[in-house]
Amino acid sequence: MADKVHIVPHFHWDREWYFTAEESKILLVNDMEEVLTMLETREDYPCFVLDGQTSVLEDYFSVSPENRERVRALVQRGKLIIGPWYTQTDEMVVGGESIVRNLLYGMKDCREFGSPMMIGYLPDSFGQSARMPQILRGFNIENSMFWRGTSERMGTDRTEFFWEDDDGSRVAVQLLPLGYAIGKYLPVEKEALRKRMEKYMPVLERGTATGHLLVPNGHDQMPLQRDIFQVMETMRELYPDKEFFLSRYEDVFAAIGRQGNLDTLRGEFLDGRYMRVHRSIFSSRADLKAANTRIENKITNLLEPLASIAYKLGFPYHHGLVEAIWKELMKNHAHDSIGCCCSDKVHRAIADRYFLAEERADRLIEFYMRKIVDAMDCSRALDKLTVFNLLPYEREGMIRGKIVTKMKRFVLERPDGSRLEYEIADRRIVDAGLIDRQIVHYGDYEPFVEYTLEFCDRIPAMGFTTYLVREAEALAGESFTASMAAGTGESPAASVADGTGESFAASMAAGTGEKLAVEPADPAGNGRPASPAANTLENEYLSVTIEPNGSLTVLDKQKGQYYRDVLLLEDGSDDGDGYDYSPAVNDWVLTSKEETADVRCQHGTYSHKARVRVSMAVPAGLESRSERRRDGRVDVEFELELKAGSPVLEVRVTVDNQADSHRLRLLVPGQEHEGFSVSDNQFGMIRRPVRDEAMDVWEKEGWSERPDSIYPFLSWVSGCGERGLAVLTNSVREYEMTGPDYGVLAVTLFRSVGVLGKEGLLRRPGRPSGIKMETPDSQLRGSHTYEIALTACRDHLARTAKEYVTPFISYNKMPYNAMKLNPAEAKVPYAYSLLRETEGRVVLGALKKAEDEDKLIARFYNGGGEKVPVRLKDENGDLAVDVVKLNETDVLSRHVTGVQWVGYNQIFTCKF
């Protein structure tokens, strides 16, 4: 018999949802005053939980800074419970580093006031990531509390259990089986309270393994319940055999700690039997989710490693600027915000924050590159092109860089004096005033020319190499090949085919129209694309033929395997809402199989490119679809690129959507799946069934939502067999294995819906999720761009995907710049390597400066393998590191050198 009932005062604070963050801030000022006053004046009111996120305090202090000391005093007395998160993060479609930084910055914020709540408190996240036990234990958090995603199918019918990750990390869980709001607005009146509690008590008693029941006393934006003491008196009358008392979550976990024999669960929790997890929310407002993916990758893969290199070379690491970018991004990681199940007003605010975060990241990346290159010796050349490789191993491949100059001809010279062969892919005129206003101030209006160059070279591990840009004159009678080797910048017009005889330069009509290629490409595949046929892109790994309907036939040249109908478009109805996809009862699914595409190809020395345009007539809305009318359209442009030496076909997709209430997906057939798909998740990989067996019984058993096998991925996904093309992404993150035999990998480009919440969906019966509100912007009318890639190389997909989202970046140093800087004191060499990981099996998760020490943090993870080695070296040999927890401070092993072993789905963090 459960005889102890813990009533914990709290509120759940959605910063924004159908209301804006500005509206909730006004309510916050009112509610916080009541909370602070109650905690200060009543000793028998033990605590109040601020929803586990410090962004609530940040918002509050932005308008009420005078109350900082009141808050600090209450936190230190243990009455106001704050942290450990910065925002109430989603766990499924944000990257692992985003979740780590959310805890890192949240706990840092807490330390200004006192101690954080050491509970992984995520009461409303739409599903639970399998990596959470390991992440939480990395911050010494041993307990977790959440609501959504579990059922007895996971391995227990108890509300208290242990949750274990693949590396052995384990946390104790107190499930919220009925959510975080069962104690909202509890009535004092006896019969009303009885009616409420009779719904909850049997569920709580049936699930408990400890005899301790939890009733969270709060709700979304709910003010403090002043009459809670009277409510408890009434409860005691109703249940004289139970003990009711105001409590804290820590006391609940203390009871769990005394109960040793609990079930142990593993894996992710995305089960919608008892509570909605919104399995298809991963594609709501795909434009915003794509922005999140792109910015996460810029921060972790480009900005922070670049800042770390600069720091080791003697430049400041600007923690404040980096933290400001992360926090701007993480304001969008709250479950409703990243879910994009909000009002149009809120979605516009989310887009503004993405713009601000990306602009800050882009400018800081450029700043660090400039600081490094500006500190190089200028005696040999004033103009330079420096290329950065921000992965911990040498990389050789095609590099695209830009040079802005007034030189008519130029050569690129390596630090050792040898010249670099390159090709001019594009050129455009740049107004001198954009380069430096001082130039035109003194009357020089002669424009500059920006050249886009392509070349192949090897770049040091986690470092850079610099090419000196020198003016050159072509020699009389010099051949084209020789002049290119000297870097004169001269190229003939491209000899390309588009099926019509029209030149590429004329058909593309982009920029200056000069898309230039050298004479015949290398047919032997020696690091360059071979000469392909019309409408074919080819290198030593892949041969990609563009069919008349715009789909691709891909030949994996290593295995001799063909894949056909790749990137067919599939368009079907979406009668769902901002939370979930749901088809119309009378659906009509169309594909681009019978369409006619417009194809333009460009064959260069270092890359093959194509532009493929497909226009599909589709129903303009649900009514048109039910009547089988094609009175709307989607125009899709694919920009394909196959680079020299790369097993990856890069695909940039721009969609002009002129229809409502539909879903557009890309199809990648030919998957060998053995019943499972495999994809990455935070710091690892995961196998999922291509069909959930509960599909046969979900209606009979009264599930909250249909268990369709629609899942998130972060950077790569494929079938789990040996054959099939894997999909990499730098944008959208939702997939499903579909088709008669589940051999087609369908990647959602976008869903188009017009309401925030809707009742009675085909796949989600009953009440609306959220509220019923029109959201016309969520129809995603207009143009949106997404970036994915395809590869047949299945060996270590995690590293292949990492390379795809970590491109070479470059900086062109010239004698002019609109923003002046004084010369740096540091002296930087032309080439540099910070560190190397020599074993080649782990994946770099992060490289950054430690928050509180003058050391660097490197984080790796096992992206696919039972046990893999990691070994770090610098110019002096093996690097001595301290192995640390995710919190960066707790040391597990000191002064470690040589090979370390990283288990399956394990995170390895070190400090040096």
Side-chain angles (χ1 to χ4, degrees):
M1 174 66 70
D3 57 1
K4 294 185 181 296
V5 182
H6 299 254
I7 299 173
V8 180
H10 77 104
F11 56 45
H12 180 56
W13 204 265
D14 296 307
R15 293 187 70 251
E16 58 194 8
W17 182 17
Y18 57 90
F19 48 82
T20 66
E22 299 311 308
E23 181 180 352
S24 81
K25 192 179 294 185
I26 295 170
L27 295 175
L28 181 62
V29 172
N30 177 81
D31 292 0
M32 280 294 291
E33 180 57 36
E34 294 183 354
V35 169
L36 297 181
T37 300
M38 175 70 86
L39 294 174
E40 290 167 338
T41 58
R42 293 208 55 163
E43 287 301 319
D44 54 351
Y45 195 87
C47 70
F48 192 92
V49 180
L50 281 188
D51 202 36
Q53 52 177 329
T54 61
S55 59
V56 174
L57 287 177
E58 185 177 271
D59 285 345
Y60 180 58
F61 292 139
S62 71
V63 291
S64 300
E66 69 279 3
N67 286 329
R68 295 182 76 91
E69 291 306 317
R70 293 177 69 191
V71 167
R72 180 177 288 108
L74 290 168
V75 171
Q76 292 179 354
R77 290 172 57 194
K79 301 201 70 171
L80 190 63
I81 311 299
I82 64 173
W85 302 97
Y86 175 66
T87 54
Q88 275 287 341
T89 184
D90 175 78
E91 299 173 46
M92 305 311 296
V93 292
V94 302
E97 280 301 318
S98 291
I99 297 176
V100 168
R101 304 314 172 83
N102 204 315
L103 273 175
L104 190 71
Y105 291 130
M107 297 182 84
K108 177 183 175 183
D109 289 347
C110 290
R111 287 195 293 270
E112 180 184 347
F113 300 94
S115 299
M117 177 175 67
M118 296 298 285
I119 299 171
Y121 182 70
L122 290 168
D124 206 18
S125 180
F126 301 143
Q128 320 301 322
S129 167
R131 294 290 80 75
M132 287 307 297
Q134 190 173 175
I135 292 172
L136 293 174
R137 291 303 297 264
F139 288 88
N140 294 322
I141 296 174
E142 299 180 358
N143 301 311
S144 178
M145 183 178 291
F146 56 84
W147 171 23
R148 301 180 191 267
T150 65
S151 74
E152 61 274 7
R153 294 204 311 162
M154 269 73 259
T156 188
D157 58 359
R158 304 285 91 182
T159 54
E160 302 97 343
F161 53 86
F162 292 117
W163 184 17
E164 192 170 88
D165 200 352
D166 291 322
D167 75 321
S169 298
R170 189 169 77 161
V171 293
V173 173
Q174 170 65 62
L175 190 68
L176 301 169
L178 296 168
Y180 56 85
I182 57 174
K184 65 180 179 181
Y185 307 112
L186 290 169
V188 174
E189 196 274 322
K190 191 172 184 177
E191 288 308 310
L193 185 59
R194 183 199 305 275
K195 187 176 180 180
R196 280 277 299 276
M197 298 309 295
E198 283 179 350
K199 292 191 299 183
Y200 303 145
M201 280 297 185
V203 177
L204 299 178
E205 289 182 330
R206 185 167 59 247
T208 184
T210 65
H212 290 252
L213 308 184
L214 174 60
V215 178
N217 175 222
H219 189 38
D220 303 352
Q221 268 69 16
M222 175 179 153
L224 178 104
Q225 183 159 359
R226 292 174 175 170
D227 59 0
I228 189 63
F229 294 100
Q230 294 95 308
V231 170
M232 287 194 296
E233 287 300 320
T234 308
M235 284 183 171
R236 293 178 184 117
E237 294 179 26
L238 291 171
Y239 299 94
D241 58 334
K242 298 186 186 305
E243 182 182 354
F244 293 88
F245 50 92
L246 291 179
S247 184
R248 59 185 68 227
Y249 293 137
E250 290 85 349
D251 295 338
V252 177
F253 282 103
I256 294 175
R258 294 189 293 270
Q259 177 72 38
N261 187 25
L262 296 177
D263 295 322
T264 298
L265 277 58
R266 294 177 178 85
E268 70 182 3
F269 301 142
L270 269 178
D271 201 317
R273 178 166 189 176
Y274 298 117
M275 65 289 287
R276 295 173 176 181
V277 292
H278 308 301
R279 185 75 72 79
S280 48
I281 201 171
F282 316 126
S283 56
S284 297
R285 283 303 297 257
D287 58 328
L288 298 178
K289 287 188 172 66
N292 178 73
T293 304
R294 186 175 66 246
I295 299 165
E296 281 185 329
N297 286 332
K298 281 186 177 181
I299 300 172
T300 57
N301 300 340
L302 303 180
L303 171 57
E304 290 182 333
L306 182 63
S308 300
I309 291 172
Y311 172 71
K312 290 295 284 186
L313 291 170
F315 299 100
Y317 191 103
H318 296 289
H319 272 299
L321 292 173
V322 175
E323 181 175 333
I325 297 170
W326 271 115
K327 284 190 169 180
E328 203 66 39
L329 186 65
M330 290 188 300
K331 287 183 176 71
N332 287 350
H333 287 177
H335 50 283
D336 291 316
S337 302
I338 190 63
C340 300
C341 47
C342 304
S343 67
D344 282 346
K345 283 196 300 185
V346 170
H347 287 151
R348 287 192 287 271
I350 290 169
D352 288 343
R353 287 195 289 271
Y354 280 135
F355 170 81
L356 185 56
E358 187 163 28
E359 177 66 10
R360 287 173 174 173
D362 287 342
R363 300 290 70 80
L364 195 51
I365 289 169
E366 184 178 26
F367 175 80
Y368 274 122
M369 290 194 295
R370 179 184 177 185
K371 291 290 285 188
I372 290 170
V373 181
D374 278 1
M376 294 178 185
D377 178 25
C378 290
S379 63
R380 292 176 58 182
L382 293 176
D383 292 73
K384 304 177 185 70
L385 179 68
T386 300
V387 177
F388 294 83
N389 167 27
L390 299 172
L391 287 175
Y393 47 86
E394 283 188 340
R395 294 168 71 192
E396 182 174 16
M398 196 215 85
I399 298 163
R400 183 172 290 119
K402 295 182 185 294
I403 289 177
V404 179
T405 183
K406 289 186 178 182
M407 301 179 196
K408 304 304 181 186
R409 294 177 176 85
F410 52 84
V411 297
L412 296 185
E413 187 179 280
R414 295 184 179 92
D416 64 6
S418 63
R419 288 184 175 179
L420 179 74
E421 182 179 349
Y422 67 86
E423 176 172 295
I424 297 177
D426 198 5
R427 66 180 80 185
R428 70 182 184 93
I429 302 299
V430 180
D431 186 88
L434 294 174
I435 305 300
D436 189 339
R437 290 178 60 194
Q438 300 306 312
I439 301 174
V440 297
H441 179 74
Y442 292 106
D444 184 355
Y445 298 101
E446 181 183 358
F448 287 74
V449 179
E450 179 187 81
Y451 296 92
T452 300
L453 309 182
E454 294 180 355
F455 53 91
C456 282
D457 209 0
R458 180 176 291 272
I459 309 299
M462 194 54 69
F464 56 82
T465 196
T466 301
Y467 307 98
L468 307 180
V469 184
R470 297 183 180 278
E471 193 161 15
E473 295 292 337
L475 300 176
E478 184 179 26
S479 69
F480 172 73
T481 303
S483 70
M484 284 300 292
T488 63
E490 296 288 332
S491 298
S495 55
V496 295
D498 63 4
T500 66
E502 183 182 17
S503 73
F504 183 84
S507 67
M508 287 293 283
T512 64
E514 297 184 67
K515 301 292 183 180
L516 307 175
V518 298
E519 56 191 10
D522 184 353
N526 295 322
R528 297 180 179 178
S531 296
N535 290 2
T536 298
L537 314 180
E538 189 168 354
N539 69 4
E540 58 267 46
Y541 292 97
L542 298 173
S543 178
V544 180
T545 301
I546 305 164
E547 302 297 342
N549 62 10
S551 70
L552 309 179
T553 297
V554 180
L555 168 62
D556 174 3
K557 297 171 74 172
Q558 309 294 306
K559 297 179 180 178
Q561 178 71 44
Y562 280 94
Y563 301 99
R564 306 184 190 280
D565 295 326
V566 176
L567 299 189
L568 270 179
L569 297 163
E570 178 200 79
D571 185 85
S573 66
D574 193 341
D575 194 18
D577 55 18
Y579 291 89
D580 285 299
Y581 163 76
S582 193
V585 175
N586 193 20
D587 198 7
W588 185 31
V589 179
L590 306 169
T591 74
S592 58
K593 196 171 186 66
E594 304 302 321
E595 304 294 341
T596 300
D598 176 65
V599 180
R600 300 289 186 270
C601 292
Q602 173 194 6
H603 302 140
T605 304
Y606 303 101
S607 67
H608 292 171
K609 307 183 189 74
R611 185 194 62 202
V612 182
R613 289 176 173 169
V614 180
S615 184
M616 282 184 68
V618 300
L622 294 174
E623 182 178 349
S624 296
R625 197 171 293 267
S626 68
E627 297 173 357
R628 303 301 191 256
R629 285 187 287 114
R630 296 191 180 196
D631 48 355
R633 64 178 176 82
V634 286
D635 296 329
V636 182
E637 179 176 291
F638 297 95
E639 296 173 67
L640 311 175
E641 181 170 18
L642 192 58
K643 296 176 179 176
S646 173
V648 172
L649 175 68
E650 298 182 18
V651 183
R652 183 180 175 90
V653 189
T654 300
V655 182
D656 181 9
N657 175 42
Q658 299 300 325
D660 292 338
S661 302
H662 65 128
R663 180 180 69 173
L664 189 68
R665 302 199 292 185
L666 294 176
L667 304 182
V668 183
Q671 300 295 323
E672 187 177 74
H673 59 75
E674 301 175 4
F676 293 91
S677 65
V678 60
S679 79
D680 67 333
N681 60 358
Q682 293 83 5
F683 302 118
M685 61 181 290
I686 191 165
R687 285 163 52 100
R688 299 171 172 125
V690 299
R691 184 182 187 275
D692 193 319
E693 60 185 13
M695 288 287 286
D696 298 326
V697 298
W698 76 278
E699 287 182 293
K700 179 182 177 181
E701 293 181 352
W703 282 47
S704 293
E705 63 182 72
R706 195 169 98 172
D708 292 271
S709 294
I710 299 176
Y711 293 110
F713 68 114
L714 297 180
S715 64
W716 63 270
V717 61
S718 72
C720 73
E722 291 298 317
R723 293 191 308 148
L725 295 172
V727 175
L728 317 179
T729 187
N730 194 28
S731 57
V732 292
R733 286 176 164 173
E734 180 184 277
Y735 76 94
E736 181 181 18
M737 300 291 284
T738 186
D741 59 355
Y742 301 98
V744 178
L745 175 59
V747 176
T748 309
L749 277 184
F750 70 90
R751 297 199 301 117
S752 164
V753 295
V755 291
L756 170 55
K758 181 188 289 188
E759 75 278 11
L761 302 188
L762 189 63
R763 296 187 175 188
R764 197 194 69 209
R767 63 170 178 82
S769 283
I771 61 170
K772 297 173 69 172
M773 171 186 282
E774 292 188 358
T775 55
D777 289 355
S778 293
Q779 295 286 8
L780 287 189
R781 289 268 184 157
S783 181
H784 304 281
T785 299
Y786 310 101
E787 296 176 351
I788 65 165
L790 303 172
T791 185
C793 183
R794 305 297 296 276
D795 182 38
H796 214 321
L797 276 172
R799 279 171 67 98
T800 302
K802 184 72 175 184
E803 291 182 7
Y804 167 61
V805 295
T806 312
F808 294 112
I809 59 174
S810 64
Y811 181 80
N812 174 212
K813 164 69 175 174
M814 55 190 303
Y816 311 99
N817 199 299
M819 304 295 181
K820 304 300 182 185
L821 295 175
N822 288 322
E825 294 182 4
K827 299 300 179 184
V828 172
Y830 286 146
Y832 177 75
S833 174
L834 171 60
L835 62 83
R836 289 175 294 130
E837 197 289 306
T838 61
E839 301 303 304
R841 299 304 298 175
V842 291
V843 181
L844 179 68
L847 179 65
K848 64 182 287 289
K849 184 180 176 295
E851 295 294 313
D852 300 318
E853 289 184 75
D854 292 332
K855 294 184 178 182
L856 293 180
I857 296 288
R859 184 154 32 254
F860 299 88
Y861 62 93
N862 183 342
E866 288 306 311
K867 199 173 186 181
V868 296
V870 57
R871 185 173 193 171
L872 299 182
K873 293 189 176 186
D874 63 10
E875 59 184 3
N876 300 315
D878 280 340
L879 193 61
V881 303
D882 292 341
V883 181
V884 297
K885 291 187 175 183
L886 292 174
N887 62 12
E888 302 185 3
T889 56
D890 289 354
V891 178
L892 301 174
S893 302
R894 292 191 181 276
H895 307 302
V896 175
T897 60
V899 172
Q900 301 293 299
W901 292 91
V902 184
Y904 177 64
N905 283 343
Q906 185 177 4
I907 307 167
F908 175 85
T909 304
C910 61
K911 181 164 56 178
F912 59 95

